[in-house]
Amino acid sequence: MRAPGQDLVPHTALRLVALRHQCDLVLATPVLAVTLMMVALERIFQAGIFSSALGGDPVLFQHLFGFYSHPALYIMICRVSRSARWKGGAMAEGTATT
């Protein structure tokens, strides 16, 4: 929690990256969960959501997983490489004693 009147500017880069990471997770995870439930309906009950033989749209499958996978790339890979360039690396910033 922040003190009254404090904004995000004085926070370290590591905290801002963690905040962005949490926002990405909150936005991307429900889409993945719904897509996996739709895949389960497709496989178990032959719902015809993604199968073109049953009247579904296979491109919808690509779009829904792409909506998850694109943020996941930034969550897992780019955050590490970007924070490694800031102030001597994420580990150096996270363990700073001053």
Side-chain angles (χ1 to χ4, degrees):
M1 299 242 339
R2 296 189 308 257
Q6 183 181 11
D7 57 357
L8 288 175
V9 176
H11 287 294
T12 63
L14 183 65
R15 286 188 181 172
L16 292 175
V17 167
L19 178 66
R20 174 69 194 271
H21 172 80
Q22 292 166 0
C23 291
D24 285 346
L25 285 175
V26 166
L27 293 175
T29 304
V31 175
L32 178 67
V34 168
T35 305
L36 289 175
M37 287 191 311
M38 290 168 65
V39 168
L41 286 172
E42 174 81 25
R43 304 284 183 188
I44 296 170
F45 300 114
Q46 303 295 323
I49 300 169
F50 302 122
S51 175
S52 59
L54 299 172
D57 186 12
V59 178
L60 177 65
F61 180 78
Q62 294 172 358
H63 287 304
L64 290 173
F65 270 109
F67 182 80
Y68 170 75
S69 298
H70 187 73
L73 170 72
Y74 291 108
I75 290 168
M76 294 179 224
I77 296 169
C78 294
R79 297 275 190 263
V80 174
S81 66
R82 193 177 329 157
S83 53
R85 287 180 284 195
W86 290 348
K87 298 182 183 179
M91 195 59 171
E93 185 178 354
T95 59
T97 57
T98 57

Coordinates of all heavy atoms in Angstrom, one line a residue:
M1 N 0.8 -1.2 0.0 CA 0.0 0.0 0.0 C 0.9 1.2 0.0 O 1.9 1.3 0.6 CB -0.9 0.0 1.2 CG -1.8 -1.2 1.3 SD -3.6 -0.9 1.3 CE -3.9 0.7 1.7
R2 N 0.4 2.2 -0.7 CA 1.1 3.5 -0.7 C 0.6 4.5 0.3 O -0.5 4.4 0.7 CB 1.0 4.1 -2.1 CG 1.6 3.3 -3.2 CD 1.6 4.0 -4.5 NE 0.3 4.6 -4.9 CZ -0.5 4.1 -5.8 NH1 -0.1 3.0 -6.4 NH2 -1.6 4.6 -6.1
A3 N 1.5 5.4 0.7 CA 1.1 6.4 1.7 C 0.1 7.4 1.0 O 0.2 7.5 -0.3 CB 2.3 7.1 2.2
P4 N -0.7 8.1 1.7 CA -1.6 9.1 1.0 C -0.8 10.2 0.3 O 0.2 10.7 0.8 CB -2.4 9.7 2.2 CG -2.3 8.7 3.3 CD -1.0 8.0 3.1
G5 N -1.2 10.4 -0.9 CA -0.5 11.5 -1.7 C 0.7 10.9 -2.5 O 1.3 11.7 -3.3
Q6 N 1.1 9.7 -2.4 CA 2.2 9.1 -3.1 C 1.7 8.6 -4.4 O 0.7 7.9 -4.5 CB 2.8 8.0 -2.3 CG 4.1 7.5 -2.9 CD 4.7 6.3 -2.1 OE1 4.1 5.9 -1.1 NE2 5.9 5.9 -2.4
D7 N 2.5 8.9 -5.5 CA 2.1 8.4 -6.8 C 3.1 7.3 -7.2 O 4.0 6.9 -6.4 CB 2.1 9.5 -7.8 CG 3.4 10.3 -7.9 OD1 4.3 10.0 -7.2 OD2 3.4 11.2 -8.8
L8 N 3.0 6.9 -8.5 CA 3.9 5.7 -8.9 C 5.3 6.1 -9.3 O 6.1 5.3 -9.5 CB 3.2 5.0 -10.1 CG 2.0 4.2 -9.8 CD1 1.4 3.7 -11.1 CD2 2.3 3.1 -8.8
V9 N 5.6 7.4 -9.4 CA 6.9 7.9 -9.9 C 8.1 7.4 -9.0 O 9.1 7.0 -9.5 CB 6.9 9.4 -10.1 CG1 8.2 9.9 -10.6 CG2 5.8 9.8 -11.2
P10 N 8.0 7.6 -7.7 CA 9.2 7.2 -6.9 C 9.5 5.7 -6.8 O 10.5 5.3 -6.2 CB 9.0 7.8 -5.5 CG 7.5 7.9 -5.4 CD 7.0 8.1 -6.8
H11 N 8.6 4.9 -7.3 CA 8.8 3.4 -7.2 C 9.9 3.0 -8.1 O 10.2 3.6 -9.2 CB 7.5 2.7 -7.5 CG 6.5 2.8 -6.5 ND1 6.6 2.2 -5.2 CD2 5.3 3.3 -6.5 CE1 5.6 2.5 -4.5 NE2 4.7 3.2 -5.3
T12 N 10.6 1.9 -7.7 CA 11.7 1.4 -8.6 C 11.2 0.8 -9.8 O 10.0 0.4 -9.9 CB 12.5 0.4 -7.8 OG1 11.7 -0.7 -7.4 CG2 13.1 1.0 -6.5
A13 N 12.0 0.5 -10.8 CA 11.7 -0.1 -12.0 C 11.1 -1.5 -11.8 O 10.2 -2.0 -12.4 CB 12.8 -0.1 -13.0
L14 N 11.7 -2.2 -10.8 CA 11.3 -3.6 -10.5 C 9.8 -3.6 -10.1 O 9.0 -4.4 -10.5 CB 12.2 -4.2 -9.4 CG 11.9 -5.6 -9.1 CD1 12.2 -6.5 -10.3 CD2 12.7 -6.1 -7.9
R15 N 9.4 -2.6 -9.2 CA 8.0 -2.6 -8.8 C 7.1 -2.2 -9.9 O 6.0 -2.8 -10.0 CB 7.9 -1.5 -7.7 CG 8.4 -2.0 -6.4 CD 8.1 -1.1 -5.3 NE 8.7 -1.5 -4.0 CZ 8.7 -0.8 -2.9 NH1 8.1 0.4 -2.9 NH2 9.2 -1.3 -1.8
L16 N 7.5 -1.3 -10.8 CA 6.7 -1.0 -11.9 C 6.5 -2.1 -12.9 O 5.4 -2.4 -13.4 CB 7.2 0.3 -12.7 CG 7.1 1.5 -11.9 CD1 7.8 2.7 -12.6 CD2 5.7 1.9 -11.5
V17 N 7.6 -2.9 -13.1 CA 7.5 -4.1 -14.0 C 6.6 -5.1 -13.3 O 5.8 -5.8 -14.0 CB 8.9 -4.6 -14.2 CG1 8.9 -6.0 -14.8 CG2 9.7 -3.7 -15.1
A18 N 6.7 -5.3 -12.0 CA 5.8 -6.2 -11.3 C 4.4 -5.8 -11.5 O 3.5 -6.7 -11.6 CB 6.2 -6.4 -9.9
L19 N 4.1 -4.5 -11.4 CA 2.7 -4.0 -11.5 C 2.2 -4.3 -12.9 O 1.1 -4.8 -13.1 CB 2.7 -2.5 -11.2 CG 1.3 -1.9 -11.4 CD1 0.3 -2.4 -10.3 CD2 1.5 -0.4 -11.2
R20 N 3.0 -4.1 -13.9 CA 2.6 -4.3 -15.3 C 2.4 -5.8 -15.5 O 1.5 -6.2 -16.2 CB 3.7 -3.8 -16.2 CG 3.5 -4.1 -17.7 CD 2.3 -3.4 -18.3 NE 1.9 -3.9 -19.5 CZ 2.4 -3.5 -20.7 NH1 3.2 -2.5 -20.7 NH2 2.0 -4.0 -21.8
H21 N 3.2 -6.6 -14.9 CA 3.1 -8.1 -15.0 C 1.8 -8.6 -14.5 O 1.1 -9.4 -15.0 CB 4.3 -8.7 -14.3 CG 4.3 -10.2 -14.2 ND1 4.6 -11.0 -15.2 CD2 3.9 -11.0 -13.1 CE1 4.4 -12.3 -14.8 NE2 4.0 -12.3 -13.5
Q22 N 1.4 -8.0 -13.3 CA 0.2 -8.4 -12.7 C -1.0 -8.0 -13.5 O -2.0 -8.7 -13.6 CB 0.1 -7.8 -11.3 CG 1.1 -8.4 -10.3 CD 1.3 -7.6 -9.1 OE1 0.6 -6.6 -8.9 NE2 2.1 -8.1 -8.2
C23 N -1.0 -6.8 -14.1 CA -2.1 -6.4 -15.0 C -2.2 -7.3 -16.2 O -3.3 -7.6 -16.6 CB -1.8 -4.9 -15.4 SG -2.0 -3.7 -14.1
D24 N -1.0 -7.7 -16.8 CA -1.1 -8.6 -17.9 C -1.7 -9.9 -17.6 O -2.5 -10.5 -18.3 CB 0.3 -8.8 -18.5 CG 0.8 -7.6 -19.3 OD1 0.0 -6.7 -19.6 OD2 2.0 -7.6 -19.6
L25 N -1.3 -10.4 -16.4 CA -1.9 -11.7 -15.9 C -3.4 -11.6 -15.7 O -4.2 -12.5 -16.1 CB -1.2 -12.2 -14.7 CG 0.2 -12.7 -14.8 CD1 0.8 -13.0 -13.5 CD2 0.2 -14.0 -15.7
V26 N -3.9 -10.5 -15.1 CA -5.3 -10.4 -14.8 C -6.1 -10.3 -16.1 O -7.2 -10.8 -16.2 CB -5.5 -9.1 -14.0 CG1 -7.0 -8.7 -13.9 CG2 -5.0 -9.4 -12.6
L27 N -5.5 -9.7 -17.2 CA -6.2 -9.5 -18.4 C -6.1 -10.8 -19.3 O -7.1 -11.1 -20.0 CB -5.7 -8.3 -19.2 CG -5.9 -7.0 -18.6 CD1 -5.2 -5.9 -19.4 CD2 -7.4 -6.7 -18.5
A28 N -5.0 -11.5 -19.3 CA -4.8 -12.6 -20.2 C -5.3 -13.9 -19.7 O -5.8 -14.8 -20.5 CB -3.3 -12.7 -20.6
T29 N -5.3 -14.2 -18.4 CA -5.6 -15.5 -17.8 C -7.1 -15.8 -18.0 O -7.4 -17.0 -18.4 CB -5.2 -15.5 -16.4 OG1 -3.8 -15.2 -16.3 CG2 -5.5 -16.9 -15.8
P30 N -8.1 -14.9 -17.9 CA -9.5 -15.3 -18.1 C -9.7 -15.8 -19.5 O -10.5 -16.7 -19.8 CB -10.3 -14.1 -17.7 CG -9.4 -13.3 -16.8 CD -8.0 -13.6 -17.2
V31 N -9.1 -15.1 -20.5 CA -9.2 -15.5 -21.9 C -8.7 -16.9 -22.1 O -9.4 -17.7 -22.8 CB -8.5 -14.5 -22.8 CG1 -8.6 -14.9 -24.2 CG2 -9.1 -13.1 -22.6
L32 N -7.6 -17.3 -21.5 CA -7.1 -18.6 -21.6 C -8.0 -19.6 -21.0 O -8.3 -20.7 -21.6 CB -5.7 -18.7 -21.0 CG -5.1 -20.1 -21.0 CD1 -4.8 -20.5 -22.4 CD2 -3.8 -20.2 -20.2
A33 N -8.6 -19.3 -19.8 CA -9.5 -20.2 -19.1 C -10.8 -20.5 -20.0 O -11.2 -21.6 -20.1 CB -9.9 -19.6 -17.8
V34 N -11.3 -19.4 -20.6 CA -12.5 -19.6 -21.4 C -12.2 -20.4 -22.6 O -13.0 -21.3 -23.0 CB -13.1 -18.2 -21.8 CG1 -14.2 -18.3 -22.8 CG2 -13.7 -17.5 -20.5
T35 N -11.0 -20.1 -23.2 CA -10.6 -20.9 -24.4 C -10.5 -22.3 -24.1 O -10.9 -23.2 -24.9 CB -9.4 -20.3 -25.0 OG1 -9.6 -18.9 -25.2 CG2 -9.0 -20.9 -26.3
L36 N -9.8 -22.6 -23.0 CA -9.7 -24.1 -22.6 C -11.0 -24.7 -22.3 O -11.2 -25.9 -22.6 CB -8.7 -24.2 -21.4 CG -7.3 -23.8 -21.7 CD1 -6.4 -23.9 -20.4 CD2 -6.7 -24.8 -22.7
M37 N -11.9 -24.0 -21.7 CA -13.3 -24.6 -21.5 C -14.0 -24.8 -22.9 O -14.6 -25.9 -23.0 CB -14.1 -23.7 -20.6 CG -13.7 -23.7 -19.2 SD -14.8 -22.9 -18.0 CE -15.1 -21.3 -18.8
M38 N -13.8 -23.9 -23.8 CA -14.4 -24.1 -25.1 C -13.7 -25.3 -25.8 O -14.4 -26.1 -26.5 CB -14.2 -22.9 -26.0 CG -15.1 -21.7 -25.5 SD -14.7 -20.1 -26.2 CE -15.2 -20.4 -27.9
V39 N -12.4 -25.5 -25.7 CA -11.8 -26.7 -26.3 C -12.3 -28.0 -25.6 O -12.5 -29.0 -26.3 CB -10.2 -26.6 -26.1 CG1 -9.5 -27.9 -26.4 CG2 -9.7 -25.5 -27.0
A40 N -12.5 -27.9 -24.3 CA -13.0 -29.1 -23.6 C -14.4 -29.5 -24.1 O -14.8 -30.6 -24.3 CB -13.1 -28.9 -22.1
L41 N -15.3 -28.4 -24.3 CA -16.6 -28.7 -24.9 C -16.5 -29.3 -26.3 O -17.3 -30.1 -26.6 CB -17.4 -27.4 -24.9 CG -17.9 -26.8 -23.6 CD1 -18.5 -25.5 -23.8 CD2 -19.0 -27.8 -23.0
E42 N -15.6 -28.7 -27.0 CA -15.4 -29.2 -28.4 C -15.0 -30.7 -28.4 O -15.5 -31.5 -29.2 CB -14.3 -28.4 -29.1 CG -13.9 -28.8 -30.4 CD -14.9 -28.4 -31.5 OE1 -15.6 -27.4 -31.3 OE2 -14.9 -29.1 -32.5
R43 N -14.0 -31.1 -27.5 CA -13.5 -32.4 -27.5 C -14.5 -33.4 -26.9 O -14.7 -34.5 -27.4 CB -12.2 -32.5 -26.7 CG -11.1 -31.6 -27.2 CD -10.5 -32.1 -28.4 NE -9.4 -31.1 -28.8 CZ -8.8 -31.2 -29.9 NH1 -9.0 -32.1 -30.8 NH2 -7.8 -30.3 -30.2
I44 N -15.1 -33.1 -25.8 CA -15.9 -34.0 -25.0 C -17.3 -34.1 -25.7 O -17.8 -35.2 -25.9 CB -16.0 -33.6 -23.6 CG1 -14.6 -33.7 -22.9 CG2 -17.0 -34.5 -22.8 CD1 -14.6 -33.1 -21.5
F45 N -18.0 -33.0 -25.9 CA -19.4 -33.0 -26.4 C -19.6 -32.7 -27.9 O -20.7 -32.6 -28.3 CB -20.2 -32.0 -25.6 CG -20.2 -32.2 -24.1 CD1 -19.5 -31.3 -23.2 CD2 -20.8 -33.4 -23.6 CE1 -19.5 -31.6 -21.9 CE2 -20.8 -33.6 -22.2 CZ -20.1 -32.7 -21.4
Q46 N -18.5 -32.6 -28.6 CA -18.5 -32.3 -30.1 C -19.4 -31.1 -30.3 O -20.3 -31.1 -31.1 CB -19.1 -33.5 -30.8 CG -18.3 -34.8 -30.6 CD -16.9 -34.7 -31.2 OE1 -16.7 -34.1 -32.2 NE2 -16.0 -35.4 -30.5
A47 N -19.1 -30.0 -29.6 CA -19.9 -28.8 -29.7 C -19.8 -28.1 -31.0 O -20.7 -27.3 -31.3 CB -19.5 -27.9 -28.5
G48 N -18.8 -28.2 -31.7 CA -18.7 -27.6 -33.0 C -18.3 -26.1 -32.9 O -18.7 -25.3 -33.7
I49 N -17.5 -25.8 -31.9 CA -17.1 -24.4 -31.8 C -15.9 -24.1 -32.7 O -15.9 -23.0 -33.4 CB -16.7 -24.1 -30.3 CG1 -17.8 -24.4 -29.4 CG2 -16.2 -22.7 -30.2 CD1 -17.5 -24.4 -27.9
F50 N -14.9 -24.9 -32.8 CA -13.7 -24.7 -33.6 C -13.7 -25.6 -34.8 O -12.9 -25.3 -35.7 CB -12.5 -24.9 -32.8 CG -12.4 -24.0 -31.5 CD1 -12.3 -24.6 -30.3 CD2 -12.5 -22.7 -31.6 CE1 -12.2 -23.8 -29.2 CE2 -12.4 -21.9 -30.5 CZ -12.3 -22.4 -29.3
S51 N -14.4 -26.7 -34.9 CA -14.3 -27.6 -36.0 C -15.1 -27.1 -37.2 O -16.3 -26.9 -37.1 CB -14.8 -29.0 -35.5 OG -14.8 -29.9 -36.6
S52 N -14.4 -27.0 -38.3 CA -15.2 -26.5 -39.5 C -16.1 -27.6 -40.0 O -17.1 -27.3 -40.7 CB -14.2 -26.1 -40.6 OG -13.3 -27.2 -40.9
A53 N -15.8 -28.9 -39.7 CA -16.7 -29.9 -40.2 C -18.1 -29.9 -39.4 O -19.1 -30.3 -40.0 CB -16.1 -31.3 -39.9
L54 N -18.1 -29.3 -38.2 CA -19.3 -29.2 -37.4 C -19.9 -27.8 -37.5 O -20.8 -27.5 -36.8 CB -19.0 -29.6 -36.0 CG -18.5 -31.0 -35.7 CD1 -18.1 -31.2 -34.3 CD2 -19.6 -32.0 -36.1
G55 N -19.4 -27.0 -38.4 CA -19.9 -25.6 -38.5 C -19.2 -24.6 -37.7 O -19.7 -23.4 -37.6
G56 N -18.1 -24.9 -37.1 CA -17.4 -23.9 -36.2 C -16.4 -23.1 -37.0 O -16.3 -23.2 -38.2
D57 N -15.7 -22.3 -36.3 CA -14.7 -21.4 -36.9 C -13.3 -21.7 -36.4 O -13.0 -21.4 -35.2 CB -15.0 -20.0 -36.6 CG -14.2 -19.0 -37.3 OD1 -13.4 -19.4 -38.2 OD2 -14.3 -17.8 -36.9
P58 N -12.4 -22.4 -37.2 CA -11.1 -22.7 -36.7 C -10.2 -21.5 -36.5 O -9.3 -21.5 -35.7 CB -10.5 -23.6 -37.8 CG -11.4 -23.5 -38.9 CD -12.7 -22.9 -38.5
V59 N -10.5 -20.4 -37.1 CA -9.7 -19.1 -37.0 C -10.0 -18.5 -35.6 O -9.1 -17.9 -35.0 CB -10.0 -18.1 -38.1 CG1 -9.2 -16.8 -37.9 CG2 -9.7 -18.7 -39.4
L60 N -11.2 -18.8 -35.0 CA -11.5 -18.3 -33.7 C -10.5 -18.9 -32.7 O -10.0 -18.2 -31.7 CB -12.9 -18.7 -33.3 CG -13.4 -18.3 -31.9 CD1 -13.4 -16.8 -31.7 CD2 -14.8 -18.9 -31.7
F61 N -10.2 -20.2 -32.8 CA -9.2 -20.9 -32.0 C -7.9 -20.2 -32.0 O -7.3 -19.9 -31.0 CB -9.1 -22.3 -32.4 CG -8.1 -23.1 -31.6 CD1 -8.5 -23.6 -30.4 CD2 -6.9 -23.4 -32.1 CE1 -7.6 -24.4 -29.6 CE2 -6.0 -24.2 -31.4 CZ -6.4 -24.7 -30.1
Q62 N -7.4 -19.8 -33.2 CA -6.1 -19.1 -33.4 C -6.2 -17.7 -32.7 O -5.2 -17.3 -32.1 CB -5.8 -19.0 -34.8 CG -5.5 -20.3 -35.5 CD -5.4 -20.2 -37.0 OE1 -5.5 -19.1 -37.6 NE2 -5.1 -21.3 -37.7
H63 N -7.3 -17.0 -32.9 CA -7.4 -15.7 -32.3 C -7.4 -15.7 -30.8 O -6.7 -14.9 -30.1 CB -8.6 -15.0 -32.8 CG -8.5 -14.5 -34.2 ND1 -7.5 -13.7 -34.7 CD2 -9.3 -14.8 -35.3 CE1 -7.6 -13.5 -36.0 NE2 -8.7 -14.1 -36.3
L64 N -8.1 -16.7 -30.2 CA -8.2 -16.7 -28.7 C -6.9 -17.2 -28.1 O -6.5 -16.6 -27.1 CB -9.3 -17.7 -28.3 CG -10.8 -17.2 -28.6 CD1 -11.8 -18.3 -28.3 CD2 -11.1 -15.9 -27.8
F65 N -6.2 -18.1 -28.7 CA -4.9 -18.5 -28.1 C -3.9 -17.4 -28.4 O -2.9 -17.2 -27.6 CB -4.5 -19.9 -28.6 CG -4.9 -21.0 -27.7 CD1 -5.9 -21.8 -28.1 CD2 -4.4 -21.1 -26.4 CE1 -6.4 -22.8 -27.2 CE2 -4.9 -22.1 -25.6 CZ -5.8 -23.0 -26.0
G66 N -4.0 -16.7 -29.5 CA -3.1 -15.7 -29.8 C -3.2 -14.5 -28.9 O -2.3 -13.8 -28.5
F67 N -4.5 -14.3 -28.4 CA -4.7 -13.2 -27.4 C -4.0 -13.5 -26.1 O -3.5 -12.6 -25.5 CB -6.2 -13.1 -27.2 CG -6.6 -11.9 -26.3 CD1 -6.6 -10.6 -26.7 CD2 -6.9 -12.2 -24.9 CE1 -6.9 -9.6 -25.8 CE2 -7.2 -11.2 -24.1 CZ -7.2 -9.9 -24.5
Y68 N -3.9 -14.8 -25.8 CA -3.2 -15.2 -24.6 C -1.7 -15.2 -24.8 O -0.9 -14.7 -24.0 CB -3.7 -16.5 -24.1 CG -2.8 -17.1 -23.0 CD1 -2.8 -16.5 -21.7 CD2 -1.8 -18.0 -23.2 CE1 -2.0 -17.0 -20.7 CE2 -1.0 -18.5 -22.2 CZ -1.1 -18.0 -21.0 OH -0.3 -18.4 -20.0
S69 N -1.3 -15.8 -25.9 CA 0.1 -16.1 -26.2 C 1.0 -14.8 -26.4 O 2.1 -14.8 -26.0 CB 0.3 -17.0 -27.4 OG -0.3 -18.2 -27.1
H70 N 0.4 -13.8 -27.0 CA 1.1 -12.6 -27.2 C 1.5 -11.9 -25.9 O 2.7 -11.6 -25.7 CB 0.3 -11.6 -28.1 CG 1.1 -10.4 -28.5 ND1 2.1 -10.5 -29.4 CD2 1.0 -9.1 -28.1 CE1 2.6 -9.3 -29.6 NE2 2.0 -8.4 -28.8
P71 N 0.6 -11.7 -24.9 CA 1.0 -11.2 -23.6 C 1.9 -12.1 -22.9 O 2.8 -11.7 -22.1 CB -0.3 -11.0 -22.9 CG -1.3 -10.9 -23.9 CD -0.9 -11.7 -25.0
A72 N 1.7 -13.4 -23.0 CA 2.6 -14.4 -22.3 C 4.0 -14.2 -22.8 O 4.9 -14.4 -22.0 CB 2.1 -15.8 -22.6
L73 N 4.2 -13.9 -24.1 CA 5.6 -13.7 -24.5 C 6.2 -12.5 -23.7 O 7.4 -12.6 -23.3 CB 5.6 -13.3 -26.0 CG 6.9 -12.8 -26.6 CD1 7.9 -14.0 -26.7 CD2 6.6 -12.2 -28.0
Y74 N 5.5 -11.4 -23.6 CA 6.0 -10.3 -22.8 C 6.1 -10.6 -21.3 O 7.0 -10.1 -20.7 CB 5.1 -9.1 -23.1 CG 5.2 -8.6 -24.5 CD1 4.2 -8.8 -25.4 CD2 6.4 -8.0 -24.9 CE1 4.3 -8.3 -26.7 CE2 6.5 -7.5 -26.2 CZ 5.4 -7.7 -27.1 OH 5.5 -7.3 -28.4
I75 N 5.2 -11.4 -20.8 CA 5.3 -11.7 -19.4 C 6.5 -12.6 -19.1 O 7.2 -12.3 -18.1 CB 4.0 -12.5 -19.0 CG1 2.8 -11.5 -19.0 CG2 4.2 -13.1 -17.6 CD1 1.5 -12.2 -18.9
M76 N 6.8 -13.6 -19.9 CA 7.9 -14.5 -19.6 C 9.2 -14.1 -20.1 O 10.2 -14.3 -19.4 CB 7.5 -15.9 -20.2 CG 6.3 -16.5 -19.6 SD 6.0 -18.1 -20.4 CE 4.2 -18.0 -20.6
I77 N 9.3 -13.5 -21.3 CA 10.6 -13.3 -21.9 C 11.1 -11.9 -21.9 O 12.1 -11.5 -21.4 CB 10.6 -13.8 -23.3 CG1 10.4 -15.4 -23.3 CG2 11.9 -13.5 -24.0 CD1 10.1 -16.0 -24.6
C78 N 10.2 -11.0 -22.3 CA 10.7 -9.6 -22.5 C 10.9 -8.9 -21.2 O 11.7 -8.0 -21.0 CB 9.7 -8.8 -23.3 SG 9.7 -9.4 -25.0
R79 N 10.1 -9.2 -20.1 CA 10.3 -8.6 -18.8 C 11.7 -8.9 -18.3 O 12.3 -8.0 -17.7 CB 9.3 -9.1 -17.8 CG 7.9 -8.8 -18.2 CD 7.5 -7.4 -17.7 NE 6.1 -7.2 -17.9 CZ 5.5 -6.6 -18.9 NH1 6.3 -6.1 -19.9 NH2 4.3 -6.4 -19.0
V80 N 12.2 -10.1 -18.5 CA 13.5 -10.5 -17.9 C 14.6 -9.8 -18.7 O 15.5 -9.2 -18.1 CB 13.7 -12.0 -18.0 CG1 15.1 -12.4 -17.6 CG2 12.6 -12.7 -17.2
S81 N 14.5 -9.7 -20.0 CA 15.6 -9.1 -20.7 C 15.5 -7.6 -20.6 O 16.6 -7.0 -20.5 CB 15.4 -9.5 -22.2 OG 14.3 -8.9 -22.8
R82 N 14.4 -7.0 -20.4 CA 14.3 -5.6 -20.3 C 14.8 -5.1 -18.9 O 15.5 -4.2 -18.7 CB 12.9 -5.1 -20.5 CG 12.8 -3.6 -20.6 CD 11.4 -3.1 -20.9 NE 10.6 -4.0 -21.7 CZ 9.3 -4.1 -21.7 NH1 8.6 -3.2 -20.9 NH2 8.6 -4.9 -22.4
S83 N 14.4 -5.8 -17.8 CA 14.8 -5.5 -16.5 C 16.3 -5.8 -16.3 O 16.9 -5.2 -15.4 CB 13.9 -6.1 -15.4 OG 13.8 -7.4 -15.6
A84 N 16.9 -6.7 -17.1 CA 18.3 -7.0 -16.9 C 19.1 -5.8 -17.4 O 20.2 -5.6 -17.0 CB 18.6 -8.2 -17.7
R85 N 18.6 -5.0 -18.3 CA 19.3 -3.8 -18.8 C 19.2 -2.6 -17.9 O 19.9 -1.7 -18.0 CB 18.8 -3.4 -20.2 CG 19.3 -4.4 -21.2 CD 18.8 -4.0 -22.5 NE 17.4 -4.4 -22.6 CZ 16.6 -4.4 -23.7 NH1 17.2 -4.1 -24.8 NH2 15.4 -4.8 -23.7
W86 N 18.2 -2.6 -17.0 CA 17.9 -1.5 -16.1 C 18.8 -1.6 -14.8 O 18.7 -2.6 -14.1 CB 16.5 -1.4 -15.7 CG 15.5 -1.0 -16.7 CD1 15.8 -0.5 -18.0 CD2 14.1 -1.1 -16.7 NE1 14.7 -0.2 -18.7 CE2 13.6 -0.6 -17.9 CE3 13.2 -1.5 -15.7 CZ2 12.3 -0.5 -18.2 CZ3 11.9 -1.4 -16.0 CH2 11.4 -0.9 -17.2
K87 N 19.6 -0.6 -14.5 CA 20.3 -0.5 -13.3 C 21.1 -1.8 -12.9 O 21.0 -2.2 -11.7 CB 19.3 -0.2 -12.1 CG 18.7 1.2 -12.3 CD 17.8 1.5 -11.1 CE 17.0 2.8 -11.3 NZ 16.2 3.1 -10.2
G88 N 21.7 -2.4 -13.8 CA 22.5 -3.5 -13.5 C 21.8 -4.9 -13.3 O 22.3 -5.8 -12.9
G89 N 20.6 -4.9 -13.7 CA 19.8 -6.2 -13.7 C 18.8 -6.2 -12.6 O 18.8 -5.5 -11.6
A90 N 17.8 -7.1 -12.8 CA 16.7 -7.2 -11.9 C 17.1 -7.7 -10.5 O 16.6 -7.3 -9.5 CB 15.6 -8.1 -12.5
M91 N 18.1 -8.6 -10.5 CA 18.5 -9.1 -9.2 C 19.3 -8.1 -8.4 O 19.1 -8.0 -7.2 CB 19.5 -10.3 -9.5 CG 19.7 -11.2 -8.3 SD 18.1 -11.8 -7.7 CE 18.6 -12.9 -6.5
A92 N 20.1 -7.2 -9.1 CA 20.8 -6.2 -8.4 C 19.8 -5.2 -7.8 O 20.0 -4.7 -6.7 CB 21.7 -5.5 -9.3
E93 N 18.7 -4.9 -8.5 CA 17.7 -3.9 -8.0 C 16.9 -4.5 -6.9 O 16.6 -3.9 -6.0 CB 16.8 -3.5 -9.2 CG 15.9 -2.4 -8.7 CD 15.1 -1.9 -9.9 OE1 15.3 -2.3 -11.0 OE2 14.2 -1.1 -9.6
G94 N 16.5 -5.8 -7.0 CA 15.7 -6.4 -6.0 C 16.4 -6.7 -4.7 O 15.8 -6.7 -3.7
T95 N 17.8 -6.7 -4.8 CA 18.5 -7.0 -3.6 C 19.3 -5.7 -3.1 O 20.2 -5.9 -2.3 CB 19.5 -8.1 -3.8 OG1 20.4 -7.7 -4.8 CG2 18.8 -9.4 -4.1
A96 N 18.9 -4.6 -3.5 CA 19.6 -3.3 -3.1 C 19.3 -3.1 -1.7 O 18.3 -3.3 -1.1 CB 19.1 -2.2 -4.0
T97 N 20.4 -2.6 -1.0 CA 20.2 -2.4 0.5 C 20.0 -0.9 0.8 O 19.8 -0.6 1.9 CB 21.5 -2.9 1.2 OG1 22.6 -2.2 0.7 CG2 21.6 -4.4 1.1
T98 N 20.1 0.0 -0.2 CA 19.9 1.4 0.1 C 18.6 1.9 -0.3 O 17.9 1.4 -1.1 CB 21.0 2.3 -0.7 OG1 20.9 2.0 -2.1 CG2 22.4 1.9 -0.1

